[in-house]
Structures are given as structure tokens and as C-alpha cells.
Amino acid sequence: MLAEHSYRSLAQKLVDAEFNRQEVVKLTAEYPDLSVEDAYRIQDELVAIKREQGHRVIALKMGFTSRAKMKQMNVNEPIYGHVFDYMSVDSGVLSFRELIHPKVEAEIAFILGRDIEGPGVTGAHVLAATEYVVPALEIIDSRYLNFQFTLPDVIADNTSASRVFIGSRLRRPDELELDLVGVTLSINGELKDLGAGAAVLGHPAHSVAMLANMLSRRGRKLHAGQLILTGGITGAQPLAVGDVVSAKWDGLGSIEFTVKE
């Protein structure tokens, strides 16, 4: 456990790194015994700082939701973070100068129709409580030097949350077989990756269920109207100024944006 004041100071360090577009050395380089619990407490402080700055949380997001990534990171459950209002992009243009080393991944997001509270939440519970699903492109942008981090580092850094594009097409969850929904992600007309909803823990609803159960351990729950990004169906692809990004989802439409300086 860190000293109480350290949570706040480390969170402020990460907030400043994001604001100044300045990479920092991962926290575990100085605090090698940093635990997952410590990391979520740092994330809590980061969220508190953002709220004090006048920002509001508009969504929750899941990370490490592919079995391969979980095995790579030696974890048995995903991680979660927060998406703030300033991270939502409506213009179809991503400003590179606001970021450090952004990457894009395609996801399916859920909009809840009613509260969900763990423990014991299943994918079936989630589908019954979901009002709509929508396509989403998440821009992740670690604040750490060379995108290098351990599990506690990335949790503390709000799971690299940076920007998000939310599609305009809403579908009821029972209108689609979400585990079979195919996605293609192209950059400058070149196919970079593709996948299906099953890449997210076998079914994207399982990701929301795990989130509800993880939050319940901290006395929290998911709320009606909440937006949840369930995790990358595709791998995260690096972006550069001038890139034109296009993603298409079976039954959910498409999203396109341009990276400008």
C-alpha cells in the first residue's frame, strides 16, 4: 500500500502527462510493488481530479478483453477505466496534436436500459438490461514512454483512455447475434484487422457482466443510461497525421474519421 498522499500525486502526474502530451516513465519503475488495488485507487484520484476540472464521465470502458491479451498480461479478468466528455469526438476529425502516440481499435458499445448490480451478473442479465448497442472506435493513448507498462501502470493511467467515436446507428441487442457481428478496420483503404464480437470474452455482453461484478467488489454498480465500451474486437492500430480510418460492422453501420495535425 502506498502512502495516502501518493495516490493523489501519482494521479496528478498522469493527468499532467496527458494535458502536456508528455510521456512519463511507468509508475512501477519507481514503485515496483504497486498492486492492482493501488492502481485503481490512483485511477479513482485521477477521476476525482478530472471532475474537479469540470469534466464528467460519459462512459465506462473495458480493456484486455481478449483471451490472448489476458494471457499475455498474465491476468484472469479484464480491467476498466473511464471515458470523459472531452474524449468524445463528433466531427469526424481526430486532432493528432492533442495526443502522444494514439492507436485505434473497433468495439461494440452497450447502452443500458436499467441498472445492473453484481455479484453474479451474467451475459443474459446484461442483454435483458441493455436498451441499445452501437458501434464505437476507441482511441487509446498511453501516457507512458514508448507505450511500455505493466498491468498496474495501465490501470492507474485510466486504461489509456483518450478519445472515442460513437456511431449513430442504434440497434436492439436482440436484433443481432453480437458474438457473430463482423468488423473490419481499414486505414487509408488498406485492411488492417478484422474480427467478430466473440473476440470479446466470447460475447461482448460477458464483458459488461464482468464489469458489473468487478464494480460490485467496490460497492458500485452500473446505471441505466450508461454507455459501456466492451473492448477491442480488432487489435489496436497506430495512427499518423493524414490517416483516413474506416471501420464497418455487420448490421451496425460504419464510422470514418481523418487524422489531422
Side-chain angles (χ1 to χ4, degrees), residues 2-260:
L2 298 175
E4 198 64 37
H5 70 277
S6 297
Y7 296 112
R8 183 77 174 194
S9 63
L10 291 174
Q12 188 66 61
K13 178 179 181 178
L14 293 169
V15 169
D16 292 344
E18 179 187 358
F19 180 78
N20 296 319
R21 295 185 65 243
Q22 184 66 53
E23 295 173 287
V24 294
V25 176
K26 62 185 180 183
L27 303 185
T28 52
E30 184 176 356
Y31 300 94
D33 297 327
L34 193 72
S35 68
V36 166
E37 181 183 352
D38 287 330
Y40 275 116
R41 290 191 63 180
I42 294 169
Q43 187 188 117
D44 286 345
E45 291 294 334
L46 182 149
V47 171
I49 292 169
K50 297 279 190 184
R51 283 179 164 146
E52 290 161 12
Q53 292 174 340
H55 301 300
R56 60 185 178 86
V57 175
I58 61 166
L60 294 178
K61 54 157 290 193
M62 291 288 275
F64 297 169
T65 51
S66 78
R67 295 296 183 188
K69 190 66 175 179
M70 290 168 69
K71 183 176 181 181
Q72 177 188 338
M73 297 300 292
N74 194 29
V75 297
N76 56 15
E77 68 180 8
I79 59 177
Y80 67 85
H82 299 73
V83 179
F84 294 92
D85 47 6
Y86 70 90
M87 296 179 175
S88 179
V89 186
D90 300 321
S91 64
V93 175
L94 181 70
S95 177
F96 194 88
R97 65 162 59 97
E98 297 174 357
L99 307 171
I100 302 172
H101 35 211
K103 300 181 180 182
V104 60
E105 57 188 28
E107 310 194 9
I108 294 173
F110 282 52
I111 301 172
L112 299 183
R114 61 174 186 262
D115 293 0
I116 303 178
E117 186 171 8
V121 176
T122 66
H125 294 144
V126 169
L127 290 172
T130 298
E131 188 165 13
Y132 298 111
V133 292
V134 294
L137 287 178
E138 186 188 0
I139 311 301
I140 58 173
D141 188 29
S142 173
R143 269 55 74 168
Y144 297 121
L145 186 66
N146 298 325
F147 237 104
Q148 297 296 311
F149 47 73
T150 67
L151 181 67
D153 290 307
V154 68
I155 292 171
D157 189 32
N158 194 28
T159 63
S160 306
S162 176
R163 297 290 186 272
V164 63
F165 294 81
I166 303 297
S168 58
R169 188 169 186 185
L170 305 176
R171 295 290 300 271
R172 302 283 300 178
D174 58 2
E175 294 177 342
L176 299 165
E177 292 187 70
L178 292 172
D179 55 336
L180 301 181
V181 169
V183 183
T184 59
L185 178 62
S186 300
I187 299 179
N188 303 323
E190 179 185 350
L191 179 65
K192 291 293 186 179
D193 204 353
L194 75 168
V200 181
L201 297 172
H203 192 294
H206 295 161
S207 177
V208 182
M210 290 191 79
L211 174 59
N213 293 329
M214 292 166 71
L215 289 174
S216 74
R217 300 201 295 259
R218 309 186 76 201
R220 303 174 185 178
K221 67 178 182 178
L222 296 172
H223 298 278
Q226 203 156 31
L227 177 70
I228 298 143
L229 278 67
T230 56
I233 293 174
T234 64
Q237 303 297 320
L239 295 171
V241 173
D243 282 346
V244 176
V245 179
S246 177
K248 297 180 181 179
W249 290 255
D250 292 340
L252 282 171
S254 61
I255 299 175
E256 183 171 302
F257 69 86
T258 303
V259 183
K260 296 193 175 177

